[in-house]
Amino acid sequence: MAAKSPVKEPPGTSAVNPTTPLAPPPVKPELPSSSEPDVVNVPSYSRWFSFDSISECEVKFLPEFFDSRSPSKNPRVYRYYRDSIVKHYRENPSRKITFTDVRRTLVGDVGSIRRVFDFLETWGLINYFASVKTLKWEDKETKSSAASAESSSALKETSKRLCNGCKTLCTIACFACDKYDLTLCARCYVRGNHRVGVSSSDFRRVEISEEARSDWTEKETLQLLEAIMHFGDDWRKVAQHVSGKSEKDCITHFIKLPFGQEFVCKESDSEDVDNKFFSINNPSDAVSESENVGATSPSKRMRLTPLADASNPIMAQAAFLSALAGVEIAEVAARAAVTTLSDVDDRASKGSLMRNTRQQEAEVASNGDATQNALARASVDASSLIEKEELDVEKAISGIVEVQMKEIQDKIIRFESLDLQMEEEWKQLEQVKNLLFVDQLSVLFHKSNARKNGDRTEENVKTDVS
Amino acid sequence: MKLPATSSSKAPVKFRMPTEDNLVPIRLDIETEGQRYKDAFTWNPSDPDSEVVVFAKRTVRDLKLPPQFITQIAQSIQTQLTEFRSYEGQDMYTAEKIVPIKLDLRVNHTLIKDHFLWDLNNYESDPEEFARTFCNDMGIEDPEVGPAVAFAIREQLYEIAIQSVASAREIKISKKGRRGAEHAISSKGGGNALDLMKLFRYNSSVVRKRKEWYVYEPIVDILSNEEVDALEAREDRNTR
């Protein structure tokens, strides 16, 4: 029986046997390639990827390989798919590889290969350079889905939902059909990837991000803060700890949290000053405003530490904005922000701390590079704030300790007085006992006397009578 | 390869592919508007049906085929899947059957001919693993050969499984009590399978005779471009 080869042939890449393991860093000295073979761009949110291991991220998004439901889908097979797809892409990183290329070279069932491929593509481990185009395409799709969707106000409670169509986690919005009990993500719904008998009107839109957008109760805020203290930068774990909120919600809410009066004052002051500053110097309004946000957001972020580190998309935004606005503007904005911060600090707490930072700033200012200056100042400022906070915390703790000690002392005093009382009562009791004893004795005494007297008087009476 | 099942069960088993994973071989050969699309791959029948359309759209997009192909591909896959599923409820008999599997395929520039024996009763057999090892051992560089080999093996196993379902049905129809059924099985089983008992009698050795070696040897040929073109032209003529 002869198998025929497919007619359409993708442009040939140098063939690599998918089962031979290559060394982890993608260096290919034997293959002639025009671009630098050593540089592979991987987005920062996919830093976890490594050829040697399987990360949690992968286990979460592709559970079929790890739940041992099917005998052939095990981690080894997953690694084989993943490694060969990634290597195939990295042979020629400027070329976008398609799913069909890859599935022809991999031994296995196309459904699971497709899911691994989609996962790698979403996380930017393959076809990374083409992300701009795909984003536009996705935007169009979401717009059209919003236009054609039936909006309904019913909200479901479940937090994690898998799409029946492409078996990915549903994030922003999904469409649920109750008749056949299907759930589709927005993309599958638009593409019409549901079964033949189901029409698109049977679906209703379920917003997942809006579910959790309702108020943050105190309990949830507490949970959020606890989680951040424990897990720090790991927003996934934080989101898990806080019941019912997604990662994005946690991050956005955390940014919005008021962290004490001083910070609110500082923020508003520095923003006002900066706005005035820029209205004088004025490059362009929109840019300056965005720049302001961009410049202050790193310092804002640092103010909110030590509890939370800057999560990468925000830093990326800040970097992007500052890059957009230009080096000089970024420097000026950062300087302005830092000087106002130090001014306000000086007013608020007249400590040698600020003088130290001023000195440090002066030292730092004597260095040459512009952006380095601004960043160094910002970091110095951040460290000074950290110290200040530590001091505050220490004070607070010592205050608490004092109060508690006072309490204990008072209690001791009370107990002592109680003890005294008890002793007195005890003594009284003893005295009364003694008296009673004496009384008893006297009674006995008198009794015996009385009896004798009685006998005598009886005798006397008898003798008298007789 | 994993250990085969040692018992020769003559009881009917529910139909499934006699391999570790229950994957269906799907072959596509679609021609529209002068464009021809041929492909072969393995599919997991427990994937939801929406997967079919997704796959069809993906393939058309990747290969830049005209959009009419989407529905045709989806339909073709769907029909083959439903056919597979129609067999699923039924019984098949799998006695201890060792069947010969022949590989005779051409993938791009590689020509493969091979002939080996496969234990049908071993439900833990894995054509994918076999294909991977084969490519490794023979030093085949073209990564598309592996899946093609696995597919060819799977297709043949599928055919044999279907045949055994058909024969099970026949046996039921012409049932003359249990003994009759067993008798029928043993006679059917000898069809194209080898009877291990006969082979491994005390006076014959397990080692294959030298003159039979060439039959069971794998042959891997790398063809040049002209030969590929010639073969393709011949195949097209044959199929049309």
Side-chain angles (χ1 to χ4, degrees):
Chain A
M1 211 187 293
K4 294 159 196 157
S5 66
V7 167
K8 290 256 173 170
E9 196 57 67
T13 53
S14 52
V16 167
N17 195 335
T19 53
T20 52
L22 290 176
V27 174
K28 294 163 280 294
E30 299 99 49
L31 298 177
S33 53
S34 48
S35 59
E36 316 134 350
D38 294 24
V39 177
V40 173
N41 291 322
V42 169
S44 54
Y45 43 83
S46 302
R47 270 180 304 181
W48 45 264
F49 173 72
S50 112
F51 278 108
D52 294 334
S53 61
I54 297 178
S55 84
E56 264 188 25
C57 188
E58 306 174 276
V59 176
K60 188 168 87 157
F61 280 97
L62 297 166
E64 52 180 323
F65 291 101
F66 302 100
D67 58 12
S68 51
R69 236 188 300 159
S70 156
S72 67
K73 291 189 182 168
N74 49 40
R76 183 183 61 91
V77 166
Y78 167 69
R79 276 185 66 180
Y80 159 63
Y81 290 161
R82 175 193 76 176
D83 292 348
S84 29
I85 295 178
V86 176
K87 279 174 205 157
H88 195 160
Y89 169 66
R90 287 186 180 175
E91 281 164 23
N92 193 353
S94 54
R95 186 182 79 100
K96 176 173 177 182
I97 61 172
T98 60
F99 164 62
T100 313
D101 289 346
V102 162
R103 71 117 164 123
R104 289 213 179 115
T105 62
L106 286 180
V107 181
D109 86 290
V110 293
S112 30
I113 297 178
R114 186 192 64 82
R115 285 188 278 276
V116 176
F117 186 86
D118 281 346
F119 168 75
L120 292 174
E121 193 161 19
T122 339
W123 282 82
L125 289 160
I126 53 179
N127 294 341
Y128 186 37
F129 73 97
S131 56
V132 177
K133 286 186 198 160
T134 51
L135 274 178
K136 282 191 193 161
W137 181 55
E138 272 165 41
D139 280 343
K140 272 193 218 158
E141 278 200 334
T142 50
K143 276 186 207 159
S144 63
S145 74
S148 65
E150 302 175 53
S151 57
S152 119
S153 55
L155 299 172
K156 277 196 180 170
E157 278 301 305
T158 53
S159 52
K160 284 187 189 157
R161 313 185 81 209
L162 279 176
C163 165
N164 282 108
C166 55
K167 292 217 169 150
T168 52
L169 268 183
C170 288
T171 47
I172 305 175
C174 71
F175 292 87
C177 169
D178 291 321
K179 247 203 258 178
Y180 301 96
D181 196 23
L182 292 177
T183 311
L184 295 184
C185 69
R187 232 190 285 178
C188 291
Y189 174 73
V190 167
R191 287 199 210 154
N193 285 340
H194 34 67
R195 255 185 281 158
V196 187
V198 181
S199 69
S200 39
S201 56
D202 288 328
F203 284 83
R204 61 180 169 78
R205 187 184 167 100
V206 172
E207 292 279 357
I208 295 194
S209 59
E210 264 172 8
E211 283 171 12
R213 227 182 275 165
S214 49
D215 323 318
W216 276 75
T217 64
E218 282 198 339
K219 191 175 161 208
E220 291 177 294
T221 321
L222 248 167
Q223 279 182 345
L224 174 68
L225 290 174
E226 265 179 29
I228 292 175
M229 268 205 295
H230 284 301
F231 304 123
D233 199 15
D234 197 348
W235 289 103
R236 237 177 299 126
K237 285 195 192 150
V238 169
Q240 280 175 14
H241 189 259
V242 178
S243 52
K245 306 285 181 201
S246 72
E247 288 179 44
K248 268 194 212 166
D249 289 341
C250 291
I251 298 175
T252 43
H253 189 245
F254 183 70
I255 298 175
K256 292 183 195 152
L257 278 180
F259 267 36
Q261 280 295 61
E262 355 170 69
F263 292 132
V264 174
C265 286
K266 273 185 205 163
E267 281 176 18
S268 56
D269 278 354
S270 67
E271 277 181 13
D272 286 342
V273 172
D274 283 342
N275 280 335
K276 285 182 205 154
F277 193 92
F278 278 109
S279 61
I280 296 172
N281 281 347
N282 206 9
S284 70
D285 272 345
V287 174
S288 71
E289 248 181 308
S290 64
E291 179 42 59
N292 197 2
V293 168
T296 50
S297 61
S299 49
K300 203 208 252 185
R301 276 340 231 117
M302 287 183 215
R303 257 181 262 151
L304 294 177
T305 53
L307 288 184
D309 226 356
S311 48
N312 285 316
I314 297 183
M315 277 309 287
Q317 269 286 349
F320 172 66
L321 285 170
S322 53
L324 201 69
V327 175
E328 299 162 346
I329 298 174
E331 183 208 346
V332 163
R335 221 184 282 152
V338 167
T339 43
T340 42
L341 279 173
S342 53
D343 284 340
V344 174
D345 275 343
D346 212 27
R347 265 183 268 143
S349 67
K350 301 151 194 169
S352 56
L353 200 70
M354 286 301 111
R355 275 176 234 146
N356 279 344
T357 51
R358 278 269 185 77
Q359 284 172 11
Q360 284 174 20
E361 278 183 30
E363 287 170 15
V364 165
S366 64
N367 291 340
D369 198 15
T371 45
Q372 271 183 10
N373 245 353
L375 286 174
R377 266 186 227 142
S379 67
V380 154
D381 183 57
S383 57
S384 70
L385 284 164
I386 290 173
E387 287 175 34
K388 213 185 139 232
E389 274 205 38
E390 281 181 17
L391 279 179
D392 284 341
V393 165
E394 276 181 35
K395 272 189 218 160
I397 291 177
S398 58
I400 291 172
V401 166
E402 272 186 43
V403 166
Q404 293 227 345
M405 278 190 52
K406 263 197 208 164
E407 259 191 60
I408 293 176
Q409 277 184 358
D410 285 339
K411 278 190 193 168
I412 290 176
I413 290 172
R414 262 197 66 212
F415 281 131
E416 280 183 13
S417 61
L418 273 176
D419 260 343
L420 273 175
Q421 269 188 18
M422 273 203 43
E423 270 202 47
E424 279 176 26
E425 280 183 21
W426 184 252
K427 278 190 201 152
Q428 278 185 10
L429 192 65
E430 288 276 348
Q431 278 184 1
V432 168
K433 260 196 194 171
N434 288 339
L435 282 176
L436 187 66
F437 190 59
V438 163
D439 284 339
Q440 280 182 342
L441 273 181
S442 53
V443 161
L444 273 176
F445 200 56
H446 284 296
K447 241 203 215 171
S448 49
N449 279 352
R451 221 181 287 149
K452 284 190 202 151
N453 288 342
D455 291 341
R456 258 187 253 138
T457 48
E458 270 188 26
E459 289 173 13
N460 289 344
V461 164
K462 277 184 192 162
T463 49
D464 278 343
V465 166
S466 61
Chain B
M1 290 251 276
K2 320 220 168 89
L3 291 172
T6 47
S7 64
S8 62
S9 55
K10 308 255 168 134
V13 180
K14 284 293 166 201
F15 173 84
R16 50 156 292 171
M17 289 288 290
T19 56
E20 186 167 10
D21 12 322
N22 201 17
L23 302 178
V24 185
I26 304 243
R27 189 181 276 284
L28 294 177
D29 188 358
I30 303 174
E31 187 161 359
T32 329
E33 290 182 7
Q35 272 188 325
R36 195 145 178 231
Y37 169 62
K38 279 199 247 176
D39 205 351
F41 48 85
T42 38
W43 187 271
N44 189 343
S46 52
D47 277 348
D49 285 342
S50 47
E51 194 61 40
V52 176
V53 186
V54 173
F55 176 80
K57 290 194 177 162
R58 206 61 187 276
T59 313
V60 165
R61 195 180 90 201
D62 289 345
L63 297 174
K64 300 189 179 46
L65 299 168
Q68 298 93 321
F69 275 88
I70 300 181
T71 35
Q72 297 201 333
I73 293 176
Q75 265 177 21
S76 174
I77 299 178
Q78 199 66 267
T79 25
Q80 297 186 51
L81 272 181
T82 25
E83 195 188 321
F84 176 79
R85 290 200 180 118
S86 70
Y87 287 115
E88 244 176 356
Q90 310 183 8
D91 304 331
M92 65 176 186
Y93 284 106
T94 50
E96 190 169 273
K97 249 163 57 158
I98 310 281
V99 290
I101 301 249
K102 290 201 185 70
L103 289 182
D104 183 10
L105 45 102
R106 181 186 68 79
V107 180
N108 301 341
H109 290 250
T110 321
L111 193 72
I112 295 185
K113 284 195 174 46
D114 200 357
H115 182 184
F116 48 85
L117 302 172
W118 191 279
D119 179 4
L120 208 60
N121 217 25
N122 176 12
Y123 287 163
E124 291 172 11
S125 60
D126 196 357
E128 274 73 34
E129 190 64 44
F130 179 90
R132 261 177 248 152
T133 327
F134 184 86
C135 291
N136 265 341
D137 292 344
M138 305 303 292
I140 295 179
E141 288 184 356
D142 189 354
E144 297 192 12
V145 174
V149 168
F151 177 79
I153 300 174
R154 217 171 250 286
E155 220 179 4
Q156 297 185 42
L157 290 177
Y158 184 40
E159 295 270 333
I160 297 174
I162 293 180
Q163 279 175 20
S164 63
V165 169
S167 64
R169 246 183 273 158
E170 282 180 29
I171 291 171
K172 275 199 184 143
I173 293 171
S174 65
K175 202 170 184 183
K176 297 171 188 171
R178 263 202 182 169
R179 254 184 252 156
E182 280 187 22
H183 182 71
I185 292 171
S186 53
S187 67
K188 289 268 185 208
N192 61 346
L194 299 172
D195 193 0
L196 277 179
M197 299 305 294
K198 228 186 281 176
L199 259 187
F200 299 142
R201 262 187 312 199
Y202 63 95
N203 60 356
S204 68
S205 86
V206 185
V207 180
R208 203 172 265 149
K209 301 195 188 58
R210 201 174 258 274
K211 57 183 177 178
E212 285 184 16
W213 281 5
Y214 78 96
V215 180
Y216 290 96
E217 211 175 21
I219 301 175
V220 176
D221 253 338
I222 311 283
L223 307 170
S224 69
N225 282 337
E226 303 88 22
E227 293 172 331
V228 170
D229 293 336
L231 275 176
E232 270 185 4
R234 214 181 301 154
E235 279 167 20
D236 286 344
R237 253 181 279 136
N238 284 342
T239 49
R240 291 214 186 143

